[in-house]
Amino acid sequence: MKRRDFLLGGLGVTAGIATVTSGSFAMGQMMSGGNDAYRPPLSLQDYALPALDEGTSIQGKQVFKLTLQAGESQLLPGLSTETIGINQNFLAPVLRFKKDQTVRMEVSNRLNETAALHWHGMILPATQDGGPHQAIKSGDDWVAEWKVINEPATYFYHSHTHNHTGEQVWRGLAGQMQIIDEDRDAELGIPHQYGVDDYPVIITDRAFDKSGALYYSNTRMQKMQGMQGNVILVNGVADSVLKPKKSLVRLRLHNASNARFYDLHFSDNRPFQLVATDGGMLEQPQTLNRIRLTPAERADIIVDLSDGKPVSLQNRKGYGNLNTGMMSNGALDTNFDIFHIEPSQAEKVPAFTTAQLIRLPNWFNAQGFNVDIATTRHLQLDMQMGPAMMFGSGGFFINEKAYELNTINEVAKANTYEVWELRNPSITHHPIHIHNTQFRIIDRNGRIPSAAESGLKDTVIVHSEETVRVLLPTGPYKDADNPYMYHCHIIEHEDAGMMGQFTVT
Ligand SMILES: [Cu+2]
């Protein structure tokens, strides 16, 4: 089936949708500043459900065997692409486990290069975190083990290799983790059956050259806007169609792109319920008809498809670093489809009506803090526009320092609460990720954030000219020697130096 047939053919799609989606055809011709990105005509493919890995129970632990490997993938029709992945040639299985389990990740690096594998969002000992200090040399093995104390939600695992995170993630070293609680989901009426009514939607963008090779550029200009591509993949497949088995589905939206921001909505503007963000559920479902996701952010949404009508998840242009300041790039900042849903065969099930989900920790309210604040840290995100940026090796700083492997920038006390004030005077937006914690956003430029941002988070967008305060628990693990990272999750910014490290003692 050609995409035109899906958009215009006998599926009852209205002309209105076709008008909106026609923007995506223009993407085929667009280029980003000077690269020769290639996008062949694509035809619709089936939604790709990632392999599910729930581990093997061995002596009270959930054991996962993860092999980093290289291979060939067919990402574009008729062309072969060299990629890397985990237990597969491109991207990775979805890892599912439960709170209170001890997980043991046995990682084998069968790539011809050093790699590191980070468990994004997890609260765990620093030596198990998989940051740049836990590099795994080619041919070596590494084991990470921790007791799961995070809340059920959608998480991320990906390369975090010193200076090479961006290109390794781009080539495919990334996947989704899910902490699940099926009993609680059942009580709340939240879809939770993997591949039946609960679907990962891991969104990445990639650029290719005409031979089908992945195109990755590290020029100064590319670093500033981050590496973005003109082919949108969901779970590694472009232009796919999900045919859900039930009429009420949970989509685990996951921005696994290096740098691209998404402003997501459905083609018929239908509402959906946001039930969880990065690190756990919201207190109440939020009814929305659009949601923004910057790199590394996740959102679990519930969508009612009981009308049986096909619908597309789409990006609306106008959000992200491609339209700020001198970065303005109309070619890449455009409307396009993410993927399609065709629910005519879905079994009809009751609508989602739950009003109250959970209670969040009561760390603060409009009157002030309910916990003692051990420290307030001030972190300034800087992009130097002078010679250092254009000709030097750096230009990306936090508090005027580029990342150094052997510098501890901050020291926190275990089992305390801190306020981190993230200030962004630079010309682009920066999604900031802090390891080993799930925080809550206090305010943006002094204003209480939207209800959609009221839950547990590990990544927060700090827009240009914005100051965002977050309240974070430092966690139970003490280690004076081994640090955790905090950094911009536009991975090219991270690799270029917009990262620091802290210990918890
Ligand atoms: Cu950044």
Side-chain angles (χ1 to χ4, degrees):
M1 180 162 59
K2 292 265 173 19
R3 60 179 298 133
R4 277 193 84 231
D5 299 334
F6 184 84
L7 295 169
L8 306 173
L11 287 163
V13 181
T14 69
I17 297 173
T19 307
V20 177
T21 52
S22 65
S24 61
F25 288 100
M27 271 191 88
Q29 284 84 50
M30 80 200 180
M31 305 287 151
S32 82
N35 86 37
D36 56 350
Y38 172 62
R39 190 182 199 270
L42 297 168
S43 53
L44 289 171
Q45 304 181 67
D46 289 336
Y47 164 88
L49 182 70
L52 175 64
D53 188 347
E54 298 179 285
T56 308
S57 179
I58 300 175
Q59 295 175 335
K61 293 171 187 169
Q62 283 310 111
V63 178
F64 294 83
K65 291 191 185 303
L66 304 173
T67 301
L68 315 186
Q69 62 187 64
E72 303 264 325
S73 302
Q74 198 194 315
L75 303 180
L76 301 176
L79 292 172
S80 168
T81 303
E82 280 185 30
T83 53
I84 59 178
I86 302 163
N87 295 355
Q88 56 194 53
N89 285 348
F90 183 57
L91 303 176
V94 166
L95 309 183
R96 258 193 166 193
F97 44 87
K98 294 178 179 162
K99 191 175 177 181
D100 297 325
Q101 282 181 335
T102 295
V103 295
R104 178 180 167 87
M105 305 296 189
E106 300 182 350
V107 184
S108 299
N109 182 3
R110 299 294 171 264
L111 302 170
N112 293 319
E113 61 202 280
T114 296
L117 197 58
H118 167 57
W119 322 106
H120 180 122
M122 291 294 137
I123 300 159
L124 76 188
T127 51
Q128 313 303 301
D129 189 43
H133 295 272
Q134 285 88 45
I136 318 166
K137 291 208 175 72
S138 172
D140 281 3
D141 300 329
W142 175 66
V143 176
E145 199 175 297
W146 71 95
K147 187 178 180 198
V148 179
I149 61 175
N150 283 74
E151 294 301 317
T154 302
Y155 296 88
F156 193 8
Y157 66 120
H158 61 77
S159 163
H160 213 311
T161 311
H162 187 47
N163 287 334
H164 294 283
T165 301
E167 53 98 1
Q168 285 188 346
V169 169
W170 186 259
R171 286 157 61 211
L173 225 48
Q176 185 175 96
M177 300 190 292
Q178 302 175 357
I179 301 180
I180 56 161
D181 183 339
E182 289 159 309
D183 295 341
R184 190 176 71 180
D185 283 349
E187 261 169 47
L188 295 172
I190 294 178
H192 55 274
Q193 287 181 277
Y194 189 79
V196 175
D197 56 12
D198 182 349
Y199 296 97
V201 180
I202 306 166
I203 308 170
T204 57
D205 59 334
R206 292 293 184 266
F208 298 87
D209 68 21
K210 280 203 162 57
S211 74
L214 283 167
Y215 177 89
Y216 188 83
S217 156
N218 232 340
T219 61
R220 298 275 158 223
M221 190 51 107
Q222 197 71 67
K223 271 184 189 162
M224 285 171 65
Q225 68 178 30
M227 189 61 211
Q228 308 199 18
N230 60 353
V231 177
I232 304 295
L233 307 174
V234 167
N235 307 342
V237 173
D239 277 321
S240 63
V241 185
L242 168 65
K243 294 175 179 157
K245 296 197 170 72
K246 300 277 179 78
S247 63
L248 188 74
V249 298
R250 173 201 209 142
L251 302 179
R252 295 175 185 261
L253 305 177
H254 175 172
N255 185 352
S257 308
N258 283 42
R260 185 179 281 282
F261 295 25
Y262 299 94
D263 190 355
L264 301 170
H265 67 285
F266 288 100
S267 46
D268 57 5
N269 222 30
R270 74 177 61 204
F272 54 85
Q273 262 84 38
L274 174 68
V275 292
T277 55
D278 303 346
M281 276 188 199
L282 301 178
E283 292 198 321
Q284 289 99 22
Q286 296 300 313
T287 301
L288 306 172
N289 53 22
R290 62 195 285 199
I291 186 164
R292 290 175 162 185
L293 284 184
T294 68
E297 287 188 299
R298 289 90 64 204
D300 289 18
I301 65 169
I302 296 179
V303 192
D304 193 327
L305 303 160
S306 57
D307 62 4
K309 291 186 177 152
V311 65
S312 298
L313 183 68
Q314 302 180 322
N315 176 72
R316 183 175 297 165
K317 71 174 179 180
Y319 186 49
N321 281 337
L322 292 170
N323 57 16
T324 59
M326 62 182 281
M327 315 295 293
S328 180
N329 185 334
L332 274 170
D333 178 25
T334 181
N335 297 315
F336 53 83
D337 294 345
I338 304 292
F339 79 140
H340 316 281
I341 304 175
E342 208 288 276
S344 62
Q345 302 303 310
E347 179 196 336
K348 284 260 181 10
V349 295
F352 178 69
T353 54
T354 307
Q356 181 71 36
L357 299 174
I358 58 159
R359 290 280 171 206
L360 283 165
N362 185 28
W363 297 334
F364 56 88
N365 55 29
Q367 282 69 51
F369 299 120
N370 299 319
V371 292
D372 291 329
I373 304 301
T375 308
T376 297
R377 296 183 199 278
H378 302 271
L379 302 177
Q380 180 166 311
L381 314 170
D382 291 311
M383 272 174 43
Q384 303 275 309
M385 299 306 296
M389 148 68 82
M390 299 315 289
F391 308 109
S393 59
F396 292 82
F397 303 122
I398 297 178
N399 288 348
E400 302 185 329
K401 285 196 186 76
Y403 176 73
E404 284 178 29
L405 202 53
N406 296 313
T407 301
I408 304 295
N409 305 88
E410 309 284 338
V411 178
K413 274 243 160 307
N415 298 309
T416 64
Y417 295 90
E418 300 194 347
V419 172
W420 287 29
E421 185 181 289
L422 309 165
R423 215 169 77 75
N424 179 8
S426 79
I427 62 160
T428 71
H429 313 319
H430 302 288
I432 298 300
H433 170 47
I434 307 170
H435 288 208
N436 187 49
T437 194
Q438 289 292 337
F439 53 74
R440 294 187 69 187
I441 303 167
I442 303 166
D443 51 20
R444 290 184 172 278
N445 280 348
R447 284 193 212 96
I448 293 170
S450 74
E453 283 198 314
S454 64
L456 293 170
K457 297 278 294 165
D458 54 51
T459 306
V460 60
I461 183 64
V462 186
H463 297 102
S464 177
E465 305 291 336
E466 207 170 41
T467 296
V468 175
R469 291 194 307 156
V470 303
L471 194 154
L472 65 87
T474 58
Y477 301 108
K478 298 178 187 180
D479 186 333
D481 301 319
N482 295 285
Y484 300 102
M485 306 297 123
Y486 54 93
H487 59 89
C488 180
H489 223 287
I490 292 175
I491 312 180
E492 287 66 38
H493 293 184
E494 169 197 331
D495 279 339
M498 193 176 282
M499 178 156 73
Q501 45 192 10
F502 68 106
T503 53
V504 180
T505 63

